[in-house]
Amino acid sequence: MCGILGVVSQTPANQLLYDGLQVLQHRGQDAAGIATLDGRTFHLHKGNGLVRDVFRTRNMRALKGNAGIAHVRYPTAGSAVDHNEAQPFYVNSPFGIVLGHNGNLTNTAELQKQLFVEDRRHVNTNSDSEVLLNVLAHELQVNSKGLRLDVPTIFAAVSGVHQRCRGAYAVVAMIAGYGLLAFRDIYGIRPLVVGVNETPQGPEYLVASESVALDTLGFKFLRDVAPGEAIFIDFDGNFHSQQCSDKAKLNSCIFEYVYFARPDSVIDGVSVYETRLHMGEYLADKLKREWSDVKIDVVIPIPDSSRPSAMQLADRLDIPFREGFVKNRYIGRTFIMPGQAMRKKSVRQKLNAIGVEFKGKNVLLVDDSIVRGTTSREIVQMARDAGALKVYFASAAPPVRFPNVYGIDMPSRAELIATGRSDDEICREIGADGLIYQDLEDLKAAVRKANPAIVDFDCSCFDGHYITGDITAEYLDAIEAARGADKAGKPVDEDQMELDLAMSVSSM
């Protein structure tokens, strides 16, 4: 998962982009980057690490210009340690483009071959985002007439991208001399929103992965970018949009609502917070049906994303809700940290139990989901060590049994605790006295309850149905092997962890 931003402003864009990345930091902790455009020159700084660590005052001063894009990343394709794969990416031909991408292409290998053999383009990294950038650049070249671009040509190029690229992609890109381009894949798997800020000098526009970035930066929410749609904002502040695919149909990633998105965001007309409340209601109803004889003294959430579901579940069951874990907010989110050993080590550094809430009680722990099970196992043991008599576990999401290939780091079936195991076997693996999962249809209902207009979702990690229609067993085997090799990791030269570029481009 990644977070992206794009802005056309009336004032310097660097601080806006930095502040926006801070708000979207939950979407990726592996790397961060900002690119701005000042006249004919792109300024780019990117590197591995958190936003606050990648950017220093000297870097911010060098990011000149009133327009730019920004990106926070964690790895799903490519390497977790290679600083060269931090985004944004840049190409200088045909027009000078920088691009940031959230998602994952599923036909990267095919596109790489096409780019080399047919389009005569060289891709320098293993990142599918660089592939996507080169596809866009080529489509701009073949659709342009002469040395100038116009809005219809730009939208025709996006149509070409949709025809060639499969998978999930929400994209922001800047074209030197022209403006900010943003578009979303034909299924709308990854989120993308646009907002406006009216100023005396004229309108400013901001495109972001989540609406919370608009709120915190003072922009008024306009709307979600539709699946298959492209928007283009020129440097005079003129807003253009067009549907660029006749096959577009919304299939939002349901895991955004479960875990990734901030609760104060609204995605495709759905309040994430409201959805998580409904998830708790449906889960409580299932507990009533299936665990009517189970005595539970207290409901305790596993911070932070499960808190609304746990709170609503406790209220519906008339069981006391208590905060039983204190979270160290200076430790990163374990789910998106590269490497299983690092993830396991960080659990007890990240959470500490409040003994009085556990001692002598039958405790129901509520989490948003169970993916690898490593964290769940550690937390169940922490509850026992704190004196709990019984430890029951509830997941507000269904079992994660299948890899996600659309931009979420669930690549290996061997890593997913639910793959090939029954609920009872999973319960034994995490050491709980009882385990209950949300039903998939109830999860869908929880989202639709917040917005009845939502019909379909990408639920591939739960049901194994890949909506792009191109995922085979051989494909899954290949990406698991490739990502496993990447995650083994290599030594990194700390002096090479960041990259600063100032690139002069011609404005035709």
Side-chain angles (χ1 to χ4, degrees):
M1 190 61 58
C2 301
I4 57 175
L5 292 162
V7 66
V8 175
S9 179
Q10 300 294 334
T11 57
N14 53 0
Q15 190 68 50
L16 272 174
L17 292 167
Y18 178 88
D19 292 343
L21 287 186
Q22 292 272 39
V23 173
L24 297 179
Q25 184 74 86
H26 62 285
R27 298 187 69 86
Q29 298 174 336
D30 176 62
I34 294 176
T36 59
L37 183 63
D38 180 31
R40 301 196 310 172
T41 302
F42 282 121
H43 301 280
L44 171 64
H45 179 75
K46 59 183 181 177
N48 286 358
L50 300 175
V51 175
R52 69 184 183 216
D53 299 323
V54 171
F55 297 97
R56 297 287 187 265
T57 301
R58 65 181 182 276
N59 310 132
M60 296 299 293
R61 286 174 177 164
L63 293 170
K64 301 175 182 177
N66 291 358
I69 65 172
H71 188 273
V72 287
R73 174 184 184 264
Y74 88 86
T76 53
S79 171
V81 297
D82 188 352
H83 72 282
N84 292 306
E85 297 191 5
Q87 298 184 43
F89 284 110
Y90 165 74
V91 292
N92 63 2
S93 174
F95 298 99
I97 309 166
V98 289
L99 176 144
H101 162 222
N102 173 30
N104 194 60
L105 301 185
T106 57
N107 63 334
T108 301
E110 175 187 337
L111 290 169
Q112 285 174 322
K113 184 176 180 180
Q114 289 177 4
L115 286 168
F116 182 75
V117 175
E118 301 173 18
D119 300 347
R120 298 295 190 266
R121 285 186 166 271
H122 173 71
V123 178
N124 199 48
T125 71
N126 293 319
S127 172
D128 62 329
S129 302
E130 190 185 9
V131 170
L132 196 156
L133 168 60
N134 278 274
V135 172
L136 173 62
H138 179 77
E139 292 300 319
L140 286 168
Q141 182 175 336
V142 298
N143 282 282
S144 62
K145 299 175 178 64
L147 301 177
R148 296 287 302 174
L149 283 178
D150 55 23
V151 174
T153 298
I154 292 170
F155 288 151
V158 175
S159 295
V161 171
H162 289 327
Q163 291 168 22
R164 295 181 66 179
C165 295
R166 297 194 299 271
Y169 48 93
V171 174
V172 289
M174 265 196 313
I175 307 173
Y178 294 96
L180 173 69
L181 172 65
F183 55 93
R184 198 174 175 193
D185 68 75
I186 64 173
Y187 300 102
I189 299 172
R190 302 268 71 87
L192 197 62
V193 299
V194 59
V196 65
N197 179 37
E198 298 290 350
T199 75
Q201 296 79 26
E204 301 176 323
Y205 290 95
L206 179 69
V207 181
S209 291
E210 293 185 32
S211 63
V212 64
L214 307 180
D215 300 338
T216 58
L217 297 177
F219 283 72
K220 178 183 177 183
F221 175 82
L222 280 181
R223 59 182 176 85
D224 295 274
V225 178
E229 183 186 24
I231 64 172
F232 180 74
I233 302 147
D234 63 36
F235 292 134
D236 293 324
N238 299 306
F239 183 95
H240 311 268
S241 66
Q242 182 176 304
Q243 176 55 250
C244 296
S245 173
D246 58 2
K247 298 178 181 179
K249 183 181 180 183
L250 181 62
N251 287 263
S252 295
C253 173
I254 205 163
F255 209 72
E256 290 277 357
Y257 303 104
V258 170
Y259 174 80
F260 271 108
R262 273 183 41 160
D264 44 346
S265 283
V266 177
I267 296 175
D268 292 317
V270 175
S271 163
V272 175
Y273 178 76
E274 186 179 352
T275 294
R276 291 177 184 170
L277 291 176
H278 296 327
M279 288 161 60
E281 294 169 359
Y282 282 102
L283 190 56
D285 291 343
K286 185 174 182 179
L287 280 165
K288 286 180 180 178
R289 294 192 305 270
E290 299 188 7
W291 281 12
S292 58
D293 58 339
V294 175
K295 181 180 183 299
I296 298 171
D297 298 314
V298 63
V299 174
I300 293 178
I302 298 172
D304 281 316
S305 47
S306 67
R307 187 172 285 115
S309 296
M311 181 174 61
Q312 199 74 348
L313 178 149
D315 182 71
R316 203 169 182 93
L317 296 178
D318 197 25
I319 298 173
F321 172 88
R322 294 289 187 269
E323 294 286 353
F325 294 103
V326 175
K327 183 176 182 179
N328 181 347
R329 301 186 184 279
Y330 300 96
I331 298 291
R333 296 175 81 182
T334 56
F335 176 82
I336 59 178
M337 294 174 69
Q340 186 78 356
M342 186 185 300
R343 185 178 299 113
K344 184 174 180 179
K345 179 181 177 182
S346 70
V347 174
R348 287 183 181 256
Q349 296 173 338
K350 175 181 169 183
L351 292 177
N352 191 40
I354 302 173
V356 67
E357 296 296 352
F358 293 91
K359 190 172 183 179
K361 298 178 181 178
N362 295 335
V363 177
L364 176 65
L365 303 179
V366 180
D367 207 351
D368 52 76
S369 59
I370 306 172
V371 181
R372 294 168 175 87
T374 307
T375 300
S376 305
R377 187 181 304 115
E378 289 290 315
I379 289 174
V380 168
Q381 188 58 49
M382 288 171 64
R384 293 200 188 281
D385 293 344
L389 294 178
K390 296 281 187 179
V391 181
Y392 301 102
F393 206 101
S395 169
V400 177
R401 300 191 187 279
F402 303 92
N404 185 288
V405 299
Y406 299 129
I408 297 177
D409 189 19
M410 300 176 186
S412 172
R413 286 161 287 190
E415 285 187 272
L416 302 176
I417 194 171
T419 301
R421 290 187 177 95
S422 67
D423 291 0
D424 287 341
E425 290 170 330
I426 298 167
C427 183
R428 287 194 294 271
E429 283 289 324
I430 67 172
D433 294 293
L435 171 66
I436 193 163
Y437 280 103
Q438 185 87 265
D439 292 332
L440 181 56
E441 290 307 312
D442 285 346
L443 176 59
K444 293 178 183 179
V447 182
R448 292 189 184 117
K449 193 172 181 180
N451 180 5
I454 300 288
V455 177
D456 296 314
F457 304 93
D458 164 49
C459 303
S460 54
C461 61
F462 301 126
D463 62 10
H465 173 63
Y466 297 97
I467 58 175
T468 52
D470 58 339
I471 306 305
T472 63
E474 292 75 18
Y475 177 90
L476 295 177
D477 290 339
I479 63 169
E480 287 177 7
R483 290 176 181 177
D486 283 335
K487 289 188 176 184
K490 297 178 181 179
V492 180
D493 182 350
E494 292 184 2
D495 292 334
Q496 298 296 321
M497 292 287 282
E498 296 186 358
L499 180 64
D500 260 313
L501 292 176
M503 301 163 289
S504 182
V505 293
S506 297
S507 298
M508 298 294 185

